[in-house]
């Protein structure tokens, strides 16, 4: 996210919708810091001309894969969290949102020199990478993941959503 100056705000294309910031709070007792707060994009105001759906494996496919690993002597299993990949995917077309400045702690505004960037009571942001709430985040992350997996010898299994196999190794 890039915080915009007054001049940059004036240069936002007229056809771009500036959406709102949605604040999400949660209490997760098993975490070291159980009080969780994050901001997401008000995605219902975002228009994206491309595909926004993402092909994923269903639970039955996942269970079959896990059972295959468990029942194969010497088989190994590794899983990774792709959350940061999803959140850090560069976007071709930037989106914009704003948050009321009164919702931001004064110390945060001061530490990041954001006070001069407040315009009409709001802090404006240019979204340059995938973020929760953007309808296209999953789709653009999947396209980048597909490109990177293919460059390392993987291909999508025909007729099985979200499953990739390696060309020469027994890796799924």
């Amino acid at each position: 996210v890039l915080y915009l100056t007054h001049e940059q705000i004036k240069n936002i294309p007229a056809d771009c919708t500036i959406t709102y910031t949605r604040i999400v709070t949660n209490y997760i007792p098993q975490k070291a810091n159980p009080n969780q707060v994050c901001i997401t994009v008000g995605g219902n105001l975002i228009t994206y001309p491309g595909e926004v759906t993402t092909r994923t494996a269903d639970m039955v496919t996942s269970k079959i894969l896990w059972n295959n690993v468990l029942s194969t002597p010497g088989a190994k299993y590794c899983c990774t969290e792709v959350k940061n990949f999803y959140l850090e995917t560069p976007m071709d077309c930037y989106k914009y949102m704003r948050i009321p400045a009164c919702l931001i702690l004064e110390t945060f505004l001061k530490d990041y020199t954001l006070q001069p960037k407040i315009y009409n009571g709001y802090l404006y942001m240019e979204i340059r990478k995938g973020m929760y709430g953007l309808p296209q985040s999953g789709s653009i992350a999947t396209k980048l993941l597909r490109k990177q997996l293919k460059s390392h010898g993987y291909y999508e299994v025909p007729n099985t959503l979200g499953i990739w196999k390696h060309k020469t190794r027994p890796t799924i």
Side-chain angles (χ1 to χ4, degrees):
V1 172
L2 173 70
Y3 296 100
L4 302 177
T5 63
H6 297 203
E7 199 57 43
Q8 290 169 317
I9 293 166
K10 292 175 186 173
N11 292 329
I12 294 173
D15 61 339
C16 283
T17 300
I18 300 172
T19 193
Y20 59 94
T21 302
R22 184 169 168 252
I23 299 172
V24 179
T25 61
N26 199 1
Y27 181 77
I28 307 172
Q30 64 271 24
K31 292 212 172 216
N33 179 6
N35 299 305
Q36 304 288 312
V37 178
C38 70
I39 63 170
T40 66
V41 178
N44 61 317
L45 300 182
I46 299 291
T47 56
Y48 182 72
E51 181 65 44
V52 295
T53 58
T54 306
R55 297 167 26 117
T56 59
D58 61 13
M59 186 57 74
V60 172
T61 303
S62 297
K63 287 181 177 183
I64 290 170
L65 180 60
W66 295 328
N67 282 325
N68 183 41
V69 171
L70 290 171
S71 64
T72 304
K76 296 178 182 177
Y77 181 81
C78 177
C79 185
T80 184
E81 172 65 69
V82 296
K83 175 180 74 171
N84 290 337
F85 186 85
Y86 173 91
L87 294 175
E88 294 295 321
T89 305
M91 296 181 0
D92 294 333
C93 179
Y94 300 154
K95 299 297 179 185
Y96 300 90
M97 72 176 179
R98 67 185 190 172
I99 185 169
C102 63
L103 296 179
I104 302 172
L105 291 173
E106 192 64 39
T107 55
F108 186 87
L109 292 170
K110 185 178 179 181
D111 289 349
Y112 291 94
T113 321
L114 296 175
Q115 200 65 273
K117 294 185 177 185
I118 294 173
Y119 183 73
N120 290 338
Y122 290 91
L123 191 59
Y124 288 77
M125 295 163 264
E126 182 175 72
I127 304 164
R128 296 181 168 202
K129 294 183 178 182
M131 189 171 172
Y132 292 128
L134 285 174
Q136 68 268 36
S137 286
S139 178
I140 61 174
T142 299
K143 287 176 189 170
L144 181 58
L145 181 62
R146 182 178 290 126
K147 179 181 174 185
Q148 290 186 359
L149 286 172
K150 283 184 179 182
S151 72
H152 290 283
Y154 288 87
Y155 65 93
E156 288 183 270
V157 175
N159 304 317
T160 308
L161 298 176
I163 299 293
W164 291 73
K165 287 182 92 173
H166 196 270
K167 292 177 186 173
T168 59
R169 295 190 298 261
T171 306
I172 301 175

